[in-house]
PDB file of all heavy atoms in Angstrom:
ATOM      1  N   ALA A 156       5.509  -8.769   9.714  1.00  0.00           N
ATOM      2  CA  ALA A 156       4.515  -9.747  10.109  1.00  0.00           C
ATOM      3  C   ALA A 156       3.225  -9.039  10.570  1.00  0.00           C
ATOM      4  O   ALA A 156       3.276  -7.894  11.027  1.00  0.00           O
ATOM      5  CB  ALA A 156       5.033 -10.637  11.211  1.00  0.00           C
ATOM      6  N   ALA A 157       2.114  -9.766  10.417  1.00  0.00           N
ATOM      7  CA  ALA A 157       0.812  -9.238  10.838  1.00  0.00           C
ATOM      8  C   ALA A 157       0.899  -9.107  12.368  1.00  0.00           C
ATOM      9  O   ALA A 157       1.450  -9.949  13.096  1.00  0.00           O
ATOM     10  CB  ALA A 157      -0.322 -10.106  10.479  1.00  0.00           C
ATOM     11  N   PRO A 158       0.271  -8.073  12.931  1.00  0.00           N
ATOM     12  CA  PRO A 158       0.286  -7.894  14.399  1.00  0.00           C
ATOM     13  C   PRO A 158      -0.494  -9.046  15.071  1.00  0.00           C
ATOM     14  O   PRO A 158      -1.528  -9.460  14.539  1.00  0.00           O
ATOM     15  CB  PRO A 158      -0.456  -6.536  14.590  1.00  0.00           C
ATOM     16  CG  PRO A 158      -1.224  -6.365  13.355  1.00  0.00           C
ATOM     17  CD  PRO A 158      -0.449  -7.039  12.283  1.00  0.00           C
ATOM     18  N   PRO A 159      -0.054  -9.585  16.185  1.00  0.00           N
ATOM     19  CA  PRO A 159      -0.705 -10.707  16.882  1.00  0.00           C
ATOM     20  C   PRO A 159      -2.099 -10.256  17.319  1.00  0.00           C
ATOM     21  O   PRO A 159      -2.260  -9.128  17.796  1.00  0.00           O
ATOM     22  CB  PRO A 159       0.205 -11.018  18.047  1.00  0.00           C
ATOM     23  CG  PRO A 159       1.023  -9.826  18.249  1.00  0.00           C
ATOM     24  CD  PRO A 159       1.166  -9.124  16.909  1.00  0.00           C
ATOM     25  N   ALA A 160      -3.061 -11.186  17.185  1.00  0.00           N
ATOM     26  CA  ALA A 160      -4.392 -10.893  17.650  1.00  0.00           C
ATOM     27  C   ALA A 160      -4.406 -10.824  19.153  1.00  0.00           C
ATOM     28  O   ALA A 160      -3.842 -11.643  19.834  1.00  0.00           O
ATOM     29  CB  ALA A 160      -5.358 -11.965  17.113  1.00  0.00           C
ATOM     30  N   GLN A 161      -5.128  -9.851  19.678  1.00  0.00           N
ATOM     31  CA  GLN A 161      -5.271  -9.725  21.124  1.00  0.00           C
ATOM     32  C   GLN A 161      -6.373 -10.599  21.612  1.00  0.00           C
ATOM     33  O   GLN A 161      -7.377 -10.748  20.977  1.00  0.00           O
ATOM     34  CB  GLN A 161      -5.561  -8.263  21.447  1.00  0.00           C
ATOM     35  CG  GLN A 161      -4.360  -7.283  21.139  1.00  0.00           C
ATOM     36  CD  GLN A 161      -4.680  -5.904  21.664  1.00  0.00           C
ATOM     37  OE1 GLN A 161      -5.783  -5.610  22.072  1.00  0.00           O
ATOM     38  NE2 GLN A 161      -3.697  -5.030  21.516  1.00  0.00           N
ATOM     39  N   ASP A 162      -6.097 -11.195  22.760  1.00  0.00           N
ATOM     40  CA  ASP A 162      -7.131 -12.004  23.428  1.00  0.00           C
ATOM     41  C   ASP A 162      -8.279 -11.126  23.845  1.00  0.00           C
ATOM     42  O   ASP A 162      -8.102 -10.125  24.515  1.00  0.00           O
ATOM     43  CB  ASP A 162      -6.520 -12.695  24.624  1.00  0.00           C
ATOM     44  CG  ASP A 162      -7.447 -13.701  25.265  1.00  0.00           C
ATOM     45  OD1 ASP A 162      -8.583 -13.778  24.829  1.00  0.00           O
ATOM     46  OD2 ASP A 162      -7.000 -14.426  26.189  1.00  0.00           O
ATOM     47  N   ALA A 163      -9.529 -11.528  23.492  1.00  0.00           N
ATOM     48  CA  ALA A 163     -10.685 -10.748  23.797  1.00  0.00           C
ATOM     49  C   ALA A 163     -10.827 -10.587  25.269  1.00  0.00           C
ATOM     50  O   ALA A 163     -11.413  -9.605  25.757  1.00  0.00           O
ATOM     51  CB  ALA A 163     -11.964 -11.353  23.181  1.00  0.00           C
ATOM     52  N   GLY A 164     -10.381 -11.581  26.077  1.00  0.00           N
ATOM     53  CA  GLY A 164     -10.549 -11.470  27.518  1.00  0.00           C
ATOM     54  C   GLY A 164      -9.455 -10.790  28.222  1.00  0.00           C
ATOM     55  O   GLY A 164      -9.481 -10.563  29.451  1.00  0.00           O
ATOM     56  N   ALA A 165      -8.443 -10.341  27.508  1.00  0.00           N
ATOM     57  CA  ALA A 165      -7.297  -9.693  28.112  1.00  0.00           C
ATOM     58  C   ALA A 165      -7.670  -8.261  28.525  1.00  0.00           C
ATOM     59  O   ALA A 165      -8.479  -7.613  27.818  1.00  0.00           O
ATOM     60  CB  ALA A 165      -6.128  -9.678  27.188  1.00  0.00           C
ATOM     61  N   GLY A 166      -7.101  -7.779  29.558  1.00  0.00           N
ATOM     62  CA  GLY A 166      -7.378  -6.437  29.971  1.00  0.00           C
ATOM     63  C   GLY A 166      -6.700  -5.414  29.082  1.00  0.00           C
ATOM     64  O   GLY A 166      -5.925  -5.715  28.219  1.00  0.00           O
ATOM     65  N   ALA A 167      -7.026  -4.107  29.315  1.00  0.00           N
ATOM     66  CA  ALA A 167      -6.418  -3.074  28.559  1.00  0.00           C
ATOM     67  C   ALA A 167      -4.947  -3.057  28.790  1.00  0.00           C
ATOM     68  O   ALA A 167      -4.474  -3.322  29.939  1.00  0.00           O
ATOM     69  CB  ALA A 167      -7.043  -1.717  28.977  1.00  0.00           C
ATOM     70  N   PRO A 168      -4.122  -2.713  27.769  1.00  0.00           N
ATOM     71  CA  PRO A 168      -2.665  -2.691  27.968  1.00  0.00           C
ATOM     72  C   PRO A 168      -2.288  -1.636  28.969  1.00  0.00           C
ATOM     73  O   PRO A 168      -2.810  -0.563  28.952  1.00  0.00           O
ATOM     74  CB  PRO A 168      -2.138  -2.346  26.540  1.00  0.00           C
ATOM     75  CG  PRO A 168      -3.272  -1.795  25.889  1.00  0.00           C
ATOM     76  CD  PRO A 168      -4.520  -2.367  26.449  1.00  0.00           C
ATOM     77  N   GLY A 169      -1.444  -2.054  29.858  1.00  0.00           N
ATOM     78  CA  GLY A 169      -1.000  -1.132  30.901  1.00  0.00           C
ATOM     79  C   GLY A 169       0.458  -0.760  30.773  1.00  0.00           C
ATOM     80  O   GLY A 169       1.072  -0.785  29.711  1.00  0.00           O
ATOM     81  N   ALA A 170       1.108  -0.460  31.887  1.00  0.00           N
ATOM     82  CA  ALA A 170       2.464   0.025  31.952  1.00  0.00           C
ATOM     83  C   ALA A 170       3.420  -1.033  31.423  1.00  0.00           C
ATOM     84  O   ALA A 170       4.456  -0.744  30.828  1.00  0.00           O
ATOM     85  CB  ALA A 170       2.832   0.517  33.304  1.00  0.00           C
ATOM     86  N   ALA A 171       3.076  -2.313  31.642  1.00  0.00           N
ATOM     87  CA  ALA A 171       3.998  -3.373  31.209  1.00  0.00           C
ATOM     88  C   ALA A 171       4.125  -3.432  29.716  1.00  0.00           C
ATOM     89  O   ALA A 171       5.160  -3.932  29.194  1.00  0.00           O
ATOM     90  CB  ALA A 171       3.470  -4.715  31.783  1.00  0.00           C
ATOM     91  N   ASP A 172       3.112  -2.924  28.938  1.00  0.00           N
ATOM     92  CA  ASP A 172       3.194  -3.027  27.499  1.00  0.00           C
ATOM     93  C   ASP A 172       3.899  -1.747  26.945  1.00  0.00           C
ATOM     94  O   ASP A 172       4.131  -1.695  25.759  1.00  0.00           O
ATOM     95  CB  ASP A 172       1.775  -3.061  26.922  1.00  0.00           C
ATOM     96  CG  ASP A 172       1.090  -4.389  27.274  1.00  0.00           C
ATOM     97  OD1 ASP A 172       1.837  -5.394  27.321  1.00  0.00           O
ATOM     98  OD2 ASP A 172      -0.135  -4.367  27.540  1.00  0.00           O
ATOM     99  N   ALA A 173       4.149  -0.717  27.800  1.00  0.00           N
ATOM    100  CA  ALA A 173       4.658   0.550  27.254  1.00  0.00           C
ATOM    101  C   ALA A 173       5.952   0.380  26.516  1.00  0.00           C
ATOM    102  O   ALA A 173       6.126   0.957  25.435  1.00  0.00           O
ATOM    103  CB  ALA A 173       4.790   1.520  28.400  1.00  0.00           C
ATOM    104  N   PRO A 174       6.938  -0.442  27.015  1.00  0.00           N
ATOM    105  CA  PRO A 174       8.230  -0.480  26.228  1.00  0.00           C
ATOM    106  C   PRO A 174       8.023  -1.013  24.778  1.00  0.00           C
ATOM    107  O   PRO A 174       8.590  -0.488  23.896  1.00  0.00           O
ATOM    108  CB  PRO A 174       9.054  -1.471  27.116  1.00  0.00           C
ATOM    109  CG  PRO A 174       8.506  -1.318  28.458  1.00  0.00           C
ATOM    110  CD  PRO A 174       7.076  -1.108  28.316  1.00  0.00           C
ATOM    111  N   SER A 175       7.161  -2.010  24.617  1.00  0.00           N
ATOM    112  CA  SER A 175       6.951  -2.528  23.298  1.00  0.00           C
ATOM    113  C   SER A 175       6.309  -1.558  22.362  1.00  0.00           C
ATOM    114  O   SER A 175       6.612  -1.419  21.195  1.00  0.00           O
ATOM    115  CB  SER A 175       6.182  -3.861  23.302  1.00  0.00           C
ATOM    116  OG  SER A 175       4.841  -3.604  23.869  1.00  0.00           O
TER     117      SER A 175
END
Side-chain angles (χ1 to χ4, degrees):
Q161 293 184 352
D162 186 354
D172 294 324
S175 62

